[in-house]
């Protein structure tokens, strides 16, 4: 079964699957946050705090009632846990067993960690946490072994390796610093901890991705995941033959989708609502995908030398009217309660400029509050005449 979609339909399906823009939700705000984590499958964690950190930003865009403390609450209630997706992430505890293949591969050596294991240090760190309870990296700074001094760096490496291979979990964060504890003391007794088969793992990756993204390709299902492509490809063929997934053509580009997802195309998309996205938002994290679907050539430039930046240090993609239409380099000066927009750049071909400006002004009010800011300063706009229109 193959269905053809226009590029507009493909974008609509991707946005509705990503729950962008967010629709109103009833019930507790914390439940809406958990629903977002469970639906998206992961929320990427990032240490950059130019504006609100990526995990808070991504959740706020799916749940306007989101507050930063809700993640801490979900971790304390053991509904969400930290581990690796394609990057460091918050994951729903219901998916815990699908983290086990990576942990197992790291532990048995079939997959290498970026830190080389020091068996003596691993035993030492594990023994201290077992006897003393949850500890942070700083708790090992003054630690000594009989033959000399162990600094923080080897202990921190051991903590991360034990975390990645599943001996430890993050029980909480204190001022964004990880607190590590034994997995058996963190993992709820009700959680399924059986290791999935290769087929179960592959099926999980396919279905998870398609529910959250609408359409996808093999390379997108396996993005930054080692050693899974062959199994995912084989499972995808079986699911296609069984009618569990379908082929979708967008122009000449071939994608896959869940048949049930096609019903989303009958739902309206709130095109007038504008959303300012994190660079690590689930919608835009795969840059080749958004180039293909949205024609949006995006690169986060904070990792480039200043002289090579075209748009700015920390540009946020802007989604409006079913498209990615602009990017905004900004920074929250929390001491001065001011949000600085160093560069607002509109994409070529955006015609409804006045409507865009009104939508952006409305969203900026909420964005200022989200970043604990009360003042706004715009430094540069591209094209330049947009700045005077914005002022009006």
């Amino acid at each position: 079964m193959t269905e053809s979609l226009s590029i507009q339909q493909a974008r609509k399906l991707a946005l509705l699957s990503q729950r962008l823009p967010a629709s109103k939700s009833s019930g507790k705000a914390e439940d809406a946050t958990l629903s977002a984590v469970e639906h998206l499958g992961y929320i990427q964690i990032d240490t950059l705090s130019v504006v609100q950190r990526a995990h808070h930003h991504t959740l706020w865009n799916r749940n306007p009632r989101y507050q930063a403390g809700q993640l801490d609450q979900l971790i304390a209630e053991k509904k969400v846990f930290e581990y690796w997706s394609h990057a460091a992430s918050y994951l729903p505890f219901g998916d815990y067993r699908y983290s086990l293949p990576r942990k197992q591969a790291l532990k048995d050596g079939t997959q290498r960690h970026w830190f080389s294991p020091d068996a003596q240090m691993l035993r030492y760190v594990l023994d201290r946490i077992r006897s003393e309870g949850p500890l942070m990296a700083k708790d090992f700074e003054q630690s000594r072994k009989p033959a000399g001094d162990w600094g923080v760096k080897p202990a921190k490496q051991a903590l991360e390796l034990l975390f990645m291979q599943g001996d430890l979990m993050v029980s909480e964060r204190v001022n964004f610093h990880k607190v590590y504890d034994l997995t058996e003391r963190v993992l709820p007794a009700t959680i399924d901890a059986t290791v999935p088969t290769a087929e179960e793992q592959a099926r999980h990756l396919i279905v998870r991705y398609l529910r959250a993204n609408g359409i996808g390709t093999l390379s997108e299902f396996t993005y930054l995941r080692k050693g899974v492509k062959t199994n995912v490809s084989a499972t995808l063929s079986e699911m296609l033959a069984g009618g569990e997934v379908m082929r979708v053509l967008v122009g000449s580009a071939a994608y896959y989708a869940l048949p049930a997802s096609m019903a989303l195309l009958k739902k309206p998309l709130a095109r007038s609502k504008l959303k300012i996205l994190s660079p690590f938002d689930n919608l835009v994290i795969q840059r080749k995908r958004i180039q293909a679907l949205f024609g949006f050539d995006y690169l986060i430039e904070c990792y480039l030398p200043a002289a090579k930046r075209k748009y700015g240090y920390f540009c946020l993609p802007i989604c409006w009217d079913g498209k990615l239409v602009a990017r905004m380099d900004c920074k929250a000066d929390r001491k001065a309660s001011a949000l600085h927009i160093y560069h607002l750049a509109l994409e070529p071909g955006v015609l409804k400029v006045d409507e865009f400006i009104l939508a952006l002004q409305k969203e900026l009010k909420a964005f200022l509050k989200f970043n604990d800011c009360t003042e706004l300063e715009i430094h540069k706009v591209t094209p330049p005449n947009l700045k005077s229109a914005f002022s009006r």
Side-chain angles (χ1 to χ4, degrees):
M1 180 181 177
T2 302
E3 184 161 337
S4 294
L5 298 179
S6 67
I7 191 67
Q8 291 80 11
Q9 287 176 313
R11 290 170 179 173
K12 179 181 179 180
L13 184 56
L15 289 169
L16 288 174
S17 297
Q18 276 286 302
R19 297 186 176 179
L20 285 171
S23 56
K24 289 183 179 179
S25 62
S26 57
K28 294 181 179 179
E30 294 83 359
D31 293 341
T33 296
L34 178 59
S35 175
V37 178
E38 291 176 335
H39 176 75
L40 295 174
Y42 77 92
I43 302 293
Q44 184 170 336
I45 302 169
D46 196 70
T47 57
L48 295 171
S49 57
V50 180
V51 292
Q52 276 278 21
R53 296 186 196 274
H55 39 285
H56 299 311
H57 192 168
T58 298
L59 287 168
W60 177 73
N61 270 328
R62 273 70 178 185
N63 175 18
R65 296 180 293 154
Y66 175 76
Q67 299 288 330
Q70 290 170 15
L71 262 179
D72 293 334
Q73 182 177 339
L74 291 175
I75 291 168
E77 294 173 353
K78 299 188 177 182
K79 294 176 180 177
V80 167
F81 73 104
E82 278 194 42
Y83 194 61
W84 204 260
S85 177
H86 71 277
S89 301
Y90 291 108
L91 305 162
F93 242 126
D95 287 355
Y96 175 79
R97 66 189 296 252
Y98 299 105
S99 71
L100 296 176
R102 183 193 292 268
K103 292 172 180 175
Q104 195 175 57
L106 286 165
K107 199 159 191 175
D108 64 23
T110 56
Q111 186 173 322
R112 294 193 65 182
H113 191 268
W114 46 88
F115 295 142
S116 299
D118 178 336
Q120 191 176 7
M121 177 61 87
L122 292 175
R123 285 195 301 271
Y124 172 76
V125 167
L126 203 56
D127 286 346
R128 274 200 61 187
I129 291 176
R130 183 177 289 112
S131 61
E132 296 177 37
L135 296 174
M136 293 186 282
K138 70 176 185 178
D139 295 317
F140 293 87
E141 287 183 15
Q142 304 303 321
S143 300
R144 288 179 176 271
K145 64 176 182 177
D149 189 13
W150 277 349
V152 62
K153 189 175 181 181
K156 188 170 184 178
Q157 290 181 0
L159 285 165
E160 279 299 295
L161 184 52
L162 289 164
F163 165 70
M164 287 299 295
Q165 69 183 29
D167 297 287
L168 299 178
M169 292 185 73
V170 175
S171 59
E172 61 175 325
R173 281 185 181 245
V174 176
N175 296 325
F176 206 59
H177 296 290
K178 294 177 182 175
V179 180
Y180 300 88
D181 199 0
L182 300 179
T183 292
E184 57 262 35
R185 294 201 294 234
V186 178
L187 188 66
T190 55
I191 293 296
D192 184 354
T194 58
V195 179
T197 65
E199 183 182 352
E200 285 177 322
Q201 183 78 355
R203 184 177 293 270
H204 171 75
L205 291 175
I206 294 166
V207 173
R208 259 273 177 238
Y209 188 88
L210 290 178
R211 282 178 180 165
N213 294 279
I215 58 175
T217 65
L218 176 61
S219 62
E220 291 168 1
F221 303 151
T222 59
Y223 177 65
L224 296 183
R225 295 178 183 271
K226 296 179 180 179
V228 300
K229 198 164 190 176
T230 299
N231 287 329
V232 171
S233 179
T235 302
L236 185 60
S237 295
E238 292 174 8
M239 294 176 71
L240 189 64
E244 294 176 82
V245 298
M246 58 186 287
R247 283 194 181 92
V248 174
L249 290 177
V250 182
S252 61
Y255 291 88
Y256 297 92
L258 299 173
S261 295
M262 294 298 107
L264 286 173
L265 292 172
K266 297 177 183 179
K267 294 187 176 182
L269 178 67
R271 295 180 178 275
S272 63
K273 290 184 180 179
L274 182 146
K275 298 309 297 182
I276 300 163
L277 305 179
S278 164
F280 306 101
D281 191 278
N282 298 50
L283 178 72
V284 300
I285 197 60
Q286 294 199 35
R287 312 306 194 204
K288 290 182 180 179
R289 173 182 170 86
I290 61 164
Q291 171 71 63
L293 278 180
F294 289 89
F296 193 71
D297 185 11
Y298 179 62
L299 174 70
I300 181 170
E301 297 178 345
C302 59
Y303 304 116
L304 295 178
K308 293 187 177 182
R309 292 174 195 149
K310 182 178 178 181
Y311 296 104
Y313 180 83
F314 202 69
C315 273
L316 311 181
I318 295 178
C319 181
W320 175 71
D321 195 28
K323 300 183 284 289
L324 292 166
V325 296
R327 62 197 85 202
M328 186 175 81
D329 178 40
C330 59
K331 181 178 181 179
D333 181 349
R334 295 174 181 88
K335 288 184 179 179
S337 299
L339 180 72
H340 291 270
I341 299 178
Y342 294 114
H343 189 188
L344 172 64
L346 197 62
E347 290 290 285
V350 177
L351 301 177
K352 298 180 287 185
V353 175
D354 288 342
E355 291 178 39
F356 165 76
I357 290 170
L358 288 173
L360 179 59
Q361 287 175 330
K362 183 176 181 180
E363 185 63 12
L364 277 172
K365 291 178 182 178
F367 194 66
L368 282 167
K369 186 177 180 181
F370 175 59
N371 282 280
D372 298 320
C373 293
T374 55
E375 303 296 325
L376 175 67
E377 186 171 350
I378 301 172
H379 298 260
K380 178 184 176 182
V381 178
T382 301
N385 66 327
L386 187 64
K387 188 171 184 179
S388 58
F390 195 93
S391 299
R392 289 199 303 272

